[in-house]
Amino acid sequence: MMESLTLQQVGSLAEKMLTEVERAVVGKRPALELVLLGLLADGHVLIEDVPGLAKTLIARSFAQVSSLSFGRVQFTPDLLPSDVTGASIYNQRSGEFEFRPGPVFTNLLLADEINRATPKTQAALLEAMQERQVTIEGETRRLDPPFLVLATQNPIEYEGTYPLPEAQLDRFLLRVSVGYPERGHESELLARRGERRQERIDLDPVIDSATLIAMQRAVEEVYVSDGVRDYMVDLVRATRDDRRVQLGASPRGSLALFTLGRAQAALLGRDFVTPDDVKSVAAPALAHRLTIRPELWVQRVSTESVVREILQSVPTPDPEEAAPAGR
């Protein structure tokens, strides 16, 4: 079993992981940090953006630097639940049914274009994401830790897609948008491709699965003061009271702020959560949990803008009160 890690060690390892991933993904540090927060917080991540912005590359890169077993499922309209979870196959030699595990039996599962599959197939992931187990034909099989889902979806491809239901969106700890690269970063991307003389880039492992679990356990030791905890609750409750919001964040949103706030502090090598930590993760943690009123869709009111305005309206606690007593 991996020895316990200090939060300073967690911060140092996290920085090394990000540096290695940036060999493959150029100029996307903020997005990479959010994905890493999801890993540290033992949560699932939804990466949403237009095609061609390295969403799949990000998932594969983190699997490589973490030495995690990696599975990929391309979600399509004809994909069946058994294609994800596995199924029992009749063995003619033995005369018995044998279970053949699906790609969900891995450490890091990439659910590519998850909104292209039918709701029935999307739901096949629900038990795995929430309970870390899969029940097939009445038998429950546990998934070995760590188990993390990185799902991608392209917001512009509405034809032939099935939007994720609110219950499944709520299972994702955070949602990340990658965005187009800046001009200089895109030029650097081409230069690196020319230098290595091949399309594929192999990254060096920085940690293993046991170390990742130890990093996740260290995050659990991060201190959250009463004032900061109440601030998280006030932010989530404000989403329910906003007149533009039809459906506000559930208590799972409060838990997401709590978990991601701790992970953000650990990423910086700090043992307590500050209000700024909460603000930095609020939009990724809450925006995908909100439903805007239909009459406001034509005005292009986004859930991210609602969360940003809520951050400005909810009183921020005194940062000096965030540290443990005696600091």
Side-chain angles (χ1 to χ4, degrees), residues 10-11 13-14 17 33-43 148 173 207 211-220 259-260 262-268:
V10 171
L13 288 172
M17 292 172 66
E33 287 182 350
L34 287 172
V35 174
L36 181 54
L37 289 183
L39 299 184
L40 293 178
D42 194 22
L148 303 158
L173 186 63
I207 62 172
T211 305
L212 177 59
I213 292 174
M215 294 170 74
Q216 293 172 345
R217 289 174 178 165
V219 170
E220 292 294 327
T259 307
L260 287 170
R262 283 174 146 188
Q264 176 66 25
L267 187 66
L268 300 174

mmCIF file of all heavy atoms in Angstrom, residues 10-11 13-14 17 33-43 148 173 207 211-220 259-260 262-268:
data_model
loop_
_atom_site.group_PDB
_atom_site.id
_atom_site.type_symbol
_atom_site.label_atom_id
_atom_site.label_comp_id
_atom_site.label_asym_id
_atom_site.label_seq_id
_atom_site.Cartn_x
_atom_site.Cartn_y
_atom_site.Cartn_z
ATOM 1 N N VAL A 10 1.651 16.338 -2.748
ATOM 2 C CA VAL A 10 0.548 16.291 -3.710
ATOM 3 C C VAL A 10 0.689 17.427 -4.716
ATOM 4 O O VAL A 10 0.562 17.229 -5.931
ATOM 5 C CB VAL A 10 -0.815 16.367 -2.994
ATOM 6 C CG1 VAL A 10 -1.946 16.549 -4.006
ATOM 7 C CG2 VAL A 10 -1.051 15.126 -2.160
ATOM 8 N N GLY A 11 0.955 18.635 -4.224
ATOM 9 C CA GLY A 11 1.122 19.778 -5.101
ATOM 10 C C GLY A 11 2.281 19.599 -6.063
ATOM 11 O O GLY A 11 2.185 19.949 -7.245
ATOM 12 N N LEU A 13 3.659 16.679 -7.126
ATOM 13 C CA LEU A 13 3.339 15.645 -8.106
ATOM 14 C C LEU A 13 2.336 16.157 -9.144
ATOM 15 O O LEU A 13 2.445 15.853 -10.333
ATOM 16 C CB LEU A 13 2.776 14.408 -7.397
ATOM 17 C CG LEU A 13 3.767 13.574 -6.598
ATOM 18 C CD1 LEU A 13 3.032 12.499 -5.787
ATOM 19 C CD2 LEU A 13 4.789 12.915 -7.525
ATOM 20 N N ALA A 14 1.374 16.939 -8.686
ATOM 21 C CA ALA A 14 0.374 17.492 -9.601
ATOM 22 C C ALA A 14 1.041 18.402 -10.628
ATOM 23 O O ALA A 14 0.697 18.374 -11.814
ATOM 24 C CB ALA A 14 -0.690 18.255 -8.817
ATOM 25 N N MET A 17 2.733 16.288 -13.203
ATOM 26 C CA MET A 17 1.750 15.694 -14.115
ATOM 27 C C MET A 17 1.318 16.702 -15.173
ATOM 28 O O MET A 17 1.260 16.392 -16.365
ATOM 29 C CB MET A 17 0.541 15.194 -13.325
ATOM 30 C CG MET A 17 0.823 14.012 -12.419
ATOM 31 S SD MET A 17 -0.592 13.622 -11.348
ATOM 32 C CE MET A 17 -1.804 13.085 -12.562
ATOM 33 N N GLU A 33 -5.791 21.881 -15.607
ATOM 34 C CA GLU A 33 -5.875 21.936 -14.149
ATOM 35 C C GLU A 33 -7.243 21.479 -13.657
ATOM 36 O O GLU A 33 -7.347 20.781 -12.643
ATOM 37 C CB GLU A 33 -5.581 23.355 -13.661
ATOM 38 C CG GLU A 33 -4.119 23.755 -13.768
ATOM 39 C CD GLU A 33 -3.857 25.146 -13.227
ATOM 40 O OE1 GLU A 33 -4.846 25.870 -12.940
ATOM 41 O OE2 GLU A 33 -2.672 25.518 -13.091
ATOM 42 N N LEU A 34 -8.296 21.847 -14.375
ATOM 43 C CA LEU A 34 -9.643 21.426 -13.971
ATOM 44 C C LEU A 34 -9.805 19.920 -14.098
ATOM 45 O O LEU A 34 -10.408 19.279 -13.218
ATOM 46 C CB LEU A 34 -10.686 22.150 -14.819
ATOM 47 C CG LEU A 34 -10.888 23.635 -14.510
ATOM 48 C CD1 LEU A 34 -11.805 24.280 -15.541
ATOM 49 C CD2 LEU A 34 -11.445 23.827 -13.102
ATOM 50 N N VAL A 35 -9.292 19.333 -15.168
ATOM 51 C CA VAL A 35 -9.365 17.883 -15.318
ATOM 52 C C VAL A 35 -8.591 17.202 -14.188
ATOM 53 O O VAL A 35 -9.056 16.212 -13.603
ATOM 54 C CB VAL A 35 -8.824 17.442 -16.693
ATOM 55 C CG1 VAL A 35 -8.766 15.912 -16.784
ATOM 56 C CG2 VAL A 35 -9.694 17.993 -17.805
ATOM 57 N N LEU A 36 -7.429 17.741 -13.856
ATOM 58 C CA LEU A 36 -6.637 17.174 -12.769
ATOM 59 C C LEU A 36 -7.365 17.304 -11.434
ATOM 60 O O LEU A 36 -7.306 16.399 -10.591
ATOM 61 C CB LEU A 36 -5.268 17.855 -12.699
ATOM 62 C CG LEU A 36 -4.309 17.335 -11.617
ATOM 63 C CD1 LEU A 36 -4.119 15.830 -11.721
ATOM 64 C CD2 LEU A 36 -2.974 18.045 -11.692
ATOM 65 N N LEU A 37 -8.070 18.409 -11.230
ATOM 66 C CA LEU A 37 -8.871 18.551 -10.012
ATOM 67 C C LEU A 37 -9.893 17.427 -9.912
ATOM 68 O O LEU A 37 -10.144 16.893 -8.830
ATOM 69 C CB LEU A 37 -9.580 19.903 -9.986
ATOM 70 C CG LEU A 37 -8.730 21.151 -9.760
ATOM 71 C CD1 LEU A 37 -9.620 22.387 -9.706
ATOM 72 C CD2 LEU A 37 -7.906 21.036 -8.493
ATOM 73 N N GLY A 38 -10.498 17.074 -11.051
ATOM 74 C CA GLY A 38 -11.443 15.970 -11.058
ATOM 75 C C GLY A 38 -10.790 14.666 -10.632
ATOM 76 O O GLY A 38 -11.365 13.896 -9.854
ATOM 77 N N LEU A 39 -9.575 14.416 -11.118
ATOM 78 C CA LEU A 39 -8.862 13.197 -10.732
ATOM 79 C C LEU A 39 -8.537 13.203 -9.238
ATOM 80 O O LEU A 39 -8.717 12.193 -8.551
ATOM 81 C CB LEU A 39 -7.570 13.064 -11.540
ATOM 82 C CG LEU A 39 -7.694 12.952 -13.063
ATOM 83 C CD1 LEU A 39 -6.321 12.738 -13.687
ATOM 84 C CD2 LEU A 39 -8.624 11.830 -13.461
ATOM 85 N N LEU A 40 -8.054 14.331 -8.733
ATOM 86 C CA LEU A 40 -7.694 14.420 -7.320
ATOM 87 C C LEU A 40 -8.919 14.285 -6.424
ATOM 88 O O LEU A 40 -8.833 13.758 -5.309
ATOM 89 C CB LEU A 40 -6.998 15.750 -7.030
ATOM 90 C CG LEU A 40 -5.621 15.959 -7.666
ATOM 91 C CD1 LEU A 40 -5.083 17.346 -7.321
ATOM 92 C CD2 LEU A 40 -4.633 14.889 -7.200
ATOM 93 N N ALA A 41 -10.058 14.764 -6.908
ATOM 94 C CA ALA A 41 -11.288 14.710 -6.116
ATOM 95 C C ALA A 41 -12.053 13.414 -6.341
ATOM 96 O O ALA A 41 -13.153 13.251 -5.803
ATOM 97 C CB ALA A 41 -12.179 15.903 -6.460
ATOM 98 N N ASP A 42 -11.482 12.497 -7.115
ATOM 99 C CA ASP A 42 -12.117 11.201 -7.392
ATOM 100 C C ASP A 42 -13.492 11.402 -8.014
ATOM 101 O O ASP A 42 -14.478 10.760 -7.622
ATOM 102 C CB ASP A 42 -12.225 10.373 -6.104
ATOM 103 C CG ASP A 42 -12.563 8.905 -6.385
ATOM 104 O OD1 ASP A 42 -12.306 8.455 -7.510
ATOM 105 O OD2 ASP A 42 -13.114 8.229 -5.481
ATOM 106 N N GLY A 43 -13.573 12.313 -8.988
ATOM 107 C CA GLY A 43 -14.846 12.615 -9.628
ATOM 108 C C GLY A 43 -14.763 12.511 -11.137
ATOM 109 O O GLY A 43 -13.682 12.500 -11.732
ATOM 110 N N LEU A 148 -12.601 6.386 -12.978
ATOM 111 C CA LEU A 148 -12.960 7.744 -13.356
ATOM 112 C C LEU A 148 -13.461 7.769 -14.795
ATOM 113 O O LEU A 148 -12.914 7.075 -15.657
ATOM 114 C CB LEU A 148 -11.746 8.675 -13.226
ATOM 115 C CG LEU A 148 -11.090 8.716 -11.841
ATOM 116 C CD1 LEU A 148 -9.657 9.202 -11.940
ATOM 117 C CD2 LEU A 148 -11.886 9.598 -10.911
ATOM 118 N N LEU A 173 -18.685 15.594 -11.740
ATOM 119 C CA LEU A 173 -18.228 16.531 -10.720
ATOM 120 C C LEU A 173 -18.052 17.926 -11.292
ATOM 121 O O LEU A 173 -18.364 18.919 -10.630
ATOM 122 C CB LEU A 173 -16.912 16.035 -10.116
ATOM 123 C CG LEU A 173 -16.354 16.820 -8.937
ATOM 124 C CD1 LEU A 173 -17.317 16.753 -7.752
ATOM 125 C CD2 LEU A 173 -14.983 16.299 -8.539
ATOM 126 N N ILE A 207 3.142 9.193 -12.051
ATOM 127 C CA ILE A 207 2.674 8.471 -10.861
ATOM 128 C C ILE A 207 2.070 7.154 -11.314
ATOM 129 O O ILE A 207 1.971 6.884 -12.514
ATOM 130 C CB ILE A 207 1.614 9.287 -10.083
ATOM 131 C CG1 ILE A 207 0.378 9.518 -10.962
ATOM 132 C CG2 ILE A 207 2.189 10.614 -9.600
ATOM 133 C CD1 ILE A 207 -0.790 10.132 -10.210
ATOM 134 N N THR A 211 -0.362 5.741 -6.203
ATOM 135 C CA THR A 211 -0.015 7.110 -5.829
ATOM 136 C C THR A 211 -1.203 8.036 -6.017
ATOM 137 O O THR A 211 -1.437 8.942 -5.204
ATOM 138 C CB THR A 211 1.176 7.602 -6.658
ATOM 139 O OG1 THR A 211 2.270 6.691 -6.519
ATOM 140 C CG2 THR A 211 1.626 8.982 -6.197
ATOM 141 N N LEU A 212 -1.974 7.844 -7.081
ATOM 142 C CA LEU A 212 -3.163 8.671 -7.290
ATOM 143 C C LEU A 212 -4.154 8.491 -6.139
ATOM 144 O O LEU A 212 -4.727 9.474 -5.652
ATOM 145 C CB LEU A 212 -3.825 8.324 -8.622
ATOM 146 C CG LEU A 212 -5.116 9.081 -8.925
ATOM 147 C CD1 LEU A 212 -4.884 10.592 -8.943
ATOM 148 C CD2 LEU A 212 -5.721 8.622 -10.254
ATOM 149 N N ILE A 213 -4.342 7.255 -5.701
ATOM 150 C CA ILE A 213 -5.248 7.006 -4.575
ATOM 151 C C ILE A 213 -4.717 7.692 -3.315
ATOM 152 O O ILE A 213 -5.480 8.269 -2.534
ATOM 153 C CB ILE A 213 -5.423 5.492 -4.353
ATOM 154 C CG1 ILE A 213 -6.178 4.877 -5.532
ATOM 155 C CG2 ILE A 213 -6.149 5.206 -3.041
ATOM 156 C CD1 ILE A 213 -6.291 3.365 -5.482
ATOM 157 N N ALA A 214 -3.386 7.654 -3.122
ATOM 158 C CA ALA A 214 -2.796 8.330 -1.963
ATOM 159 C C ALA A 214 -2.986 9.844 -2.067
ATOM 160 O O ALA A 214 -3.227 10.516 -1.050
ATOM 161 C CB ALA A 214 -1.307 7.985 -1.864
ATOM 162 N N MET A 215 -2.903 10.389 -3.258
ATOM 163 C CA MET A 215 -3.142 11.824 -3.450
ATOM 164 C C MET A 215 -4.596 12.161 -3.137
ATOM 165 O O MET A 215 -4.883 13.185 -2.502
ATOM 166 C CB MET A 215 -2.792 12.232 -4.887
ATOM 167 C CG MET A 215 -1.311 12.102 -5.232
ATOM 168 S SD MET A 215 -0.953 12.313 -7.003
ATOM 169 C CE MET A 215 -1.169 14.094 -7.171
ATOM 170 N N GLN A 216 -5.511 11.303 -3.555
ATOM 171 C CA GLN A 216 -6.930 11.521 -3.255
ATOM 172 C C GLN A 216 -7.188 11.486 -1.752
ATOM 173 O O GLN A 216 -7.979 12.274 -1.221
ATOM 174 C CB GLN A 216 -7.779 10.467 -3.968
ATOM 175 C CG GLN A 216 -7.771 10.596 -5.485
ATOM 176 C CD GLN A 216 -8.457 9.425 -6.172
ATOM 177 O OE1 GLN A 216 -8.702 8.383 -5.565
ATOM 178 N NE2 GLN A 216 -8.785 9.595 -7.440
ATOM 179 N N ARG A 217 -6.507 10.587 -1.053
ATOM 180 C CA ARG A 217 -6.678 10.501 0.407
ATOM 181 C C ARG A 217 -6.111 11.736 1.092
ATOM 182 O O ARG A 217 -6.663 12.214 2.087
ATOM 183 C CB ARG A 217 -5.995 9.234 0.930
ATOM 184 C CG ARG A 217 -6.720 7.942 0.551
ATOM 185 C CD ARG A 217 -5.932 6.723 0.978
ATOM 186 N NE ARG A 217 -6.649 5.479 0.661
ATOM 187 C CZ ARG A 217 -6.099 4.278 0.659
ATOM 188 N NH1 ARG A 217 -4.797 4.146 0.961
ATOM 189 N NH2 ARG A 217 -6.814 3.221 0.363
ATOM 190 N N ALA A 218 -5.018 12.254 0.565
ATOM 191 C CA ALA A 218 -4.430 13.455 1.149
ATOM 192 C C ALA A 218 -5.371 14.646 1.009
ATOM 193 O O ALA A 218 -5.450 15.497 1.914
ATOM 194 C CB ALA A 218 -3.089 13.753 0.489
ATOM 195 N N VAL A 219 -6.096 14.715 -0.097
ATOM 196 C CA VAL A 219 -7.053 15.804 -0.305
ATOM 197 C C VAL A 219 -8.115 15.802 0.789
ATOM 198 O O VAL A 219 -8.620 16.860 1.190
ATOM 199 C CB VAL A 219 -7.696 15.688 -1.708
ATOM 200 C CG1 VAL A 219 -8.870 16.647 -1.859
ATOM 201 C CG2 VAL A 219 -6.663 15.952 -2.785
ATOM 202 N N GLU A 220 -8.461 14.620 1.296
ATOM 203 C CA GLU A 220 -9.478 14.509 2.350
ATOM 204 C C GLU A 220 -9.042 15.171 3.662
ATOM 205 O O GLU A 220 -9.876 15.403 4.540
ATOM 206 C CB GLU A 220 -9.812 13.037 2.608
ATOM 207 C CG GLU A 220 -10.526 12.347 1.462
ATOM 208 C CD GLU A 220 -11.914 12.912 1.220
ATOM 209 O OE1 GLU A 220 -12.560 13.329 2.200
ATOM 210 O OE2 GLU A 220 -12.352 12.954 0.051
ATOM 211 N N THR A 259 -15.677 19.376 -2.436
ATOM 212 C CA THR A 259 -14.622 18.459 -2.878
ATOM 213 C C THR A 259 -13.606 19.155 -3.779
ATOM 214 O O THR A 259 -12.392 18.978 -3.621
ATOM 215 C CB THR A 259 -15.245 17.268 -3.626
ATOM 216 O OG1 THR A 259 -16.259 16.676 -2.817
ATOM 217 C CG2 THR A 259 -14.201 16.224 -3.950
ATOM 218 N N LEU A 260 -14.107 19.939 -4.729
ATOM 219 C CA LEU A 260 -13.202 20.617 -5.652
ATOM 220 C C LEU A 260 -12.429 21.737 -4.970
ATOM 221 O O LEU A 260 -11.278 22.008 -5.326
ATOM 222 C CB LEU A 260 -13.991 21.177 -6.843
ATOM 223 C CG LEU A 260 -14.488 20.142 -7.847
ATOM 224 C CD1 LEU A 260 -15.460 20.770 -8.839
ATOM 225 C CD2 LEU A 260 -13.314 19.500 -8.581
ATOM 226 N N ARG A 262 -11.343 21.649 -1.920
ATOM 227 C CA ARG A 262 -10.231 20.947 -1.266
ATOM 228 C C ARG A 262 -9.145 20.578 -2.273
ATOM 229 O O ARG A 262 -7.949 20.738 -2.003
ATOM 230 C CB ARG A 262 -10.747 19.675 -0.592
ATOM 231 C CG ARG A 262 -11.471 19.892 0.731
ATOM 232 C CD ARG A 262 -12.049 18.581 1.201
ATOM 233 N NE ARG A 262 -12.025 18.466 2.643
ATOM 234 C CZ ARG A 262 -12.339 17.364 3.305
ATOM 235 N NH1 ARG A 262 -12.704 16.287 2.642
ATOM 236 N NH2 ARG A 262 -12.295 17.321 4.626
ATOM 237 N N ALA A 263 -9.563 20.058 -3.426
ATOM 238 C CA ALA A 263 -8.590 19.653 -4.439
ATOM 239 C C ALA A 263 -7.802 20.857 -4.954
ATOM 240 O O ALA A 263 -6.594 20.760 -5.205
ATOM 241 C CB ALA A 263 -9.300 18.941 -5.587
ATOM 242 N N GLN A 264 -8.466 21.991 -5.111
ATOM 243 C CA GLN A 264 -7.789 23.207 -5.567
ATOM 244 C C GLN A 264 -6.735 23.645 -4.551
ATOM 245 O O GLN A 264 -5.617 24.029 -4.922
ATOM 246 C CB GLN A 264 -8.813 24.322 -5.783
ATOM 247 C CG GLN A 264 -8.216 25.668 -6.165
ATOM 248 C CD GLN A 264 -7.546 25.661 -7.519
ATOM 249 O OE1 GLN A 264 -7.888 24.856 -8.376
ATOM 250 N NE2 GLN A 264 -6.588 26.548 -7.713
ATOM 251 N N ALA A 265 -7.074 23.579 -3.271
ATOM 252 C CA ALA A 265 -6.101 23.921 -2.231
ATOM 253 C C ALA A 265 -4.916 22.961 -2.264
ATOM 254 O O ALA A 265 -3.755 23.384 -2.164
ATOM 255 C CB ALA A 265 -6.775 23.896 -0.862
ATOM 256 N N ALA A 266 -5.206 21.661 -2.422
ATOM 257 C CA ALA A 266 -4.129 20.668 -2.460
ATOM 258 C C ALA A 266 -3.238 20.870 -3.682
ATOM 259 O O ALA A 266 -2.020 20.679 -3.613
ATOM 260 C CB ALA A 266 -4.724 19.260 -2.470
ATOM 261 N N LEU A 267 -3.837 21.258 -4.801
ATOM 262 C CA LEU A 267 -3.064 21.517 -6.011
ATOM 263 C C LEU A 267 -2.025 22.606 -5.770
ATOM 264 O O LEU A 267 -0.932 22.586 -6.346
ATOM 265 C CB LEU A 267 -4.013 21.930 -7.148
ATOM 266 C CG LEU A 267 -3.411 22.094 -8.539
ATOM 267 C CD1 LEU A 267 -2.915 20.754 -9.075
ATOM 268 C CD2 LEU A 267 -4.433 22.685 -9.496
ATOM 269 N N LEU A 268 -2.371 23.542 -4.881
ATOM 270 C CA LEU A 268 -1.461 24.634 -4.540
ATOM 271 C C LEU A 268 -0.606 24.303 -3.323
ATOM 272 O O LEU A 268 0.140 25.159 -2.842
ATOM 273 C CB LEU A 268 -2.269 25.906 -4.280
ATOM 274 C CG LEU A 268 -3.116 26.400 -5.465
ATOM 275 C CD1 LEU A 268 -3.985 27.583 -5.047
ATOM 276 C CD2 LEU A 268 -2.226 26.777 -6.639
#
